[in-house]
Amino acid sequence: MENAAQPRIRVVAGLPMYNEEETIGTVITKVLEHVDEVICVDDGSSDSSARIAESCGAKVHRHRINRGYGGALKTLFSVAKEMDADALIILDSDGQHDTEDIPQLISPILSGDADFVIGSRFINGGSSQEMPAYRRLGIKVITAASNLSSDLDIKDTQSGFRAFSKLALDRLRFDAEGMELSLEMLEDAHEKNLKIKEVPTIIRYDVPKGSNFTAISHGFTVLTWALLSLSQKKPLLVLGLPGMGLFAAGAAMGLNAVNQFTDSVDYLVGPGLTAIWVGVLGLSLIATGLVLQSARNFIRHLLIREFGLD
Ligand SMILES: Nc1nc2c(ncn2[C@@H]2O[C@H](COP(=O)(O)OP(=O)(O)O)[C@@H](O)[C@H]2O)c(=O)[nH]1
Ligand SMILES: [Mg+2]
């Protein structure tokens, strides 16, 4: 007979998986040493990943069409909630993440110290093995851009080695399909007052297939998301600053054209018109920035006053 009085802690590992037959077996075997259940989400891999995963003891969920990394994470969140998991740990199927660090990521969740734990390369004790320099630079740029729009100060915003509490599973909502999800989740967690913590880990790049994405496509998608989010949060900064630059350039060009007026009237028309256009564009950017900023402030105050939301 089952002992219903004994509550058991359930730790579930979630592995997004796309054509990882070379590594998935070893990863699952090692992960199972630290968790109760391993769930893989397969997005139509054309290799034997799913068969190997099942034979190594994982449950495999298949998407009929490719829903991207973000889609895989949505499925993992809903499966973990259905299983009533106390913690969900997400890691790559390609062997980049060190399974020996799983307990360090899970323990702040189980002790109630954090709801969202990130395995970080860039805090004391963490590092990356053989990460190409251009990837490191890209991650630094993305992290700087995302820290401009929030005061989170997360050092490694691009690590896919992450653990979530039950509360985080209930509260977090995300829409992104690709790697921009990394930032969307962090912002959502911040807005919902979830406790976020980074613990050091080593992420390897000397694996057979470390990435499905080129550094350029990863960088471009995530950076675009960071800038869009920044322009929604701080429109005056994003529009007003280039606006002021353009206005100043327009004014300088205008002055230059007027100085040459004495030489010939013909000289004035071309540069003068350009100066006016550039200046007007600058002014309208500033004006748009101001309008959006005050609309944002107005809506925020309204939400706080009416619903107590912040
Ligand atoms: N289910 C699913 N998994 C994916 C998809 N794209 C990537 N993955 C998996 O997500 C993890 C991270 O992807 P990876 O290409 O290693 O990204 P990177 O290491 O951040 O450059 C790996 O385990 C991939 O197999 C996808 O479209 N669907
Ligand atoms: Mg990888």
Side-chain angles (χ1 to χ4, degrees), residues 32 34 40 46 53 69 73 120 142-143 146 177 194-195 231 239 245 260 273 284 288 291 297 308:
L32 274 171
H34 305 283
C40 292
S46 52
Y69 181 79
L73 254 65
S120 172
I142 289 168
T143 302
S146 81
E177 287 176 3
L194 295 173
K195 289 177 275 176
S231 68
L239 296 173
Q260 289 174 0
L273 279 180
S284 48
T288 315
V291 170
N297 291 347

Side-chain angles (χ1 to χ4, degrees), residues 16-18 20 41 43 66 68-69 72 92-94 96 210-212:
M17 177 177 79
Y18 190 63
E20 307 282 9
V41 175
D43 257 317
N66 189 297
Y69 181 79
D92 282 10
S93 317
D94 56 12
Q96 282 196 285
S211 189
N212 284 287

Side-chain angles (χ1 to χ4, degrees), residues 14-75:
L15 277 70
M17 177 177 79
Y18 190 63
N19 291 337
E20 307 282 9
E21 65 181 0
E22 283 179 77
T23 44
I24 189 70
T26 326
V27 174
I28 292 173
T29 313
K30 287 201 206 153
V31 172
L32 274 171
E33 290 169 16
H34 305 283
V35 306
D36 302 296
E37 194 103 42
V38 176
I39 313 292
C40 292
V41 175
D42 181 23
D43 257 317
S45 295
S46 52
D47 66 2
S48 320
S49 298
R51 195 178 45 76
I52 299 174
E54 266 162 358
S55 66
C56 289
K59 278 203 181 117
V60 176
H61 280 256
R62 291 178 178 84
H63 287 167
R64 281 198 305 169
I65 50 162
N66 189 297
R67 288 172 47 201
Y69 181 79
L73 254 65
K74 273 179 215 138
T75 301

Side-chain angles (χ1 to χ4, degrees), residues 42-282:
D42 181 23
D43 257 317
S45 295
S46 52
D47 66 2
S48 320
S49 298
R51 195 178 45 76
I52 299 174
E54 266 162 358
S55 66
C56 289
K59 278 203 181 117
V60 176
H61 280 256
R62 291 178 178 84
H63 287 167
R64 281 198 305 169
I65 50 162
N66 189 297
R67 288 172 47 201
Y69 181 79
L73 254 65
K74 273 179 215 138
T75 301
L76 287 171
F77 266 56
S78 66
V79 172
K81 274 192 274 188
E82 269 166 31
M83 293 170 75
D84 201 26
D86 297 288
L88 169 69
I89 173 123
I90 305 280
L91 70 160
D92 282 10
S93 317
D94 56 12
Q96 282 196 285
H97 299 141
D98 187 353
T99 53
E100 293 301 312
D101 285 341
I102 292 178
Q104 275 84 287
L105 265 85
I106 294 291
S107 85
I109 302 269
L110 298 183
S111 64
D113 291 326
D115 296 302
F116 186 162
V117 180
I118 303 169
S120 172
R121 293 162 268 203
F122 305 124
I123 57 168
N124 228 344
S127 75
S128 46
Q129 227 167 41
E130 297 184 25
M131 170 157 53
Y134 58 88
R135 273 195 184 260
R136 179 183 300 272
L137 178 72
I139 294 175
K140 295 277 177 189
V141 172
I142 289 168
T143 302
S146 81
N147 284 340
L148 263 183
S149 67
S150 73
D151 48 2
L152 261 172
D153 199 25
I154 298 293
K155 298 284 181 273
D156 193 347
T157 56
Q158 297 307 297
S159 165
F161 199 13
R162 296 177 164 195
F164 303 91
S165 69
K166 209 187 231 333
L167 187 68
L169 290 178
D170 278 339
R171 287 205 185 157
L172 281 178
R173 298 281 177 275
F174 42 88
D175 289 322
E177 287 176 3
M179 289 294 175
E180 66 278 25
L181 175 79
S182 53
L183 295 184
E184 188 186 14
M185 267 186 164
L186 279 171
E187 294 206 354
D188 195 46
H190 188 45
E191 274 167 23
K192 292 177 178 158
N193 289 325
L194 295 173
K195 289 177 275 176
I196 308 176
K197 186 181 161 85
E198 281 183 280
V199 302
T201 193
I202 297 174
I203 297 184
R204 308 168 58 137
Y205 281 80
D206 55 348
V207 292
K209 198 183 106 214
S211 189
N212 284 287
F213 310 91
T214 63
I216 302 275
S217 83
H218 178 130
F220 187 75
T221 348
V222 182
L223 201 58
T224 308
W225 198 91
L227 291 179
L228 280 176
S229 153
L230 182 64
S231 68
Q232 279 167 13
K233 285 188 170 172
K234 296 183 178 170
L236 193 52
L237 178 79
V238 173
L239 296 173
L241 222 55
M244 267 157 68
L246 281 175
F247 182 67
M253 285 158 78
L255 276 177
N256 193 25
V258 170
N259 279 340
Q260 289 174 0
F261 180 58
T262 41
D263 301 344
S264 144
V265 176
D266 285 348
Y267 268 121
L268 182 69
V269 180
L273 279 180
T274 317
I276 292 169
W277 276 117
V278 172
V280 167
L281 186 62

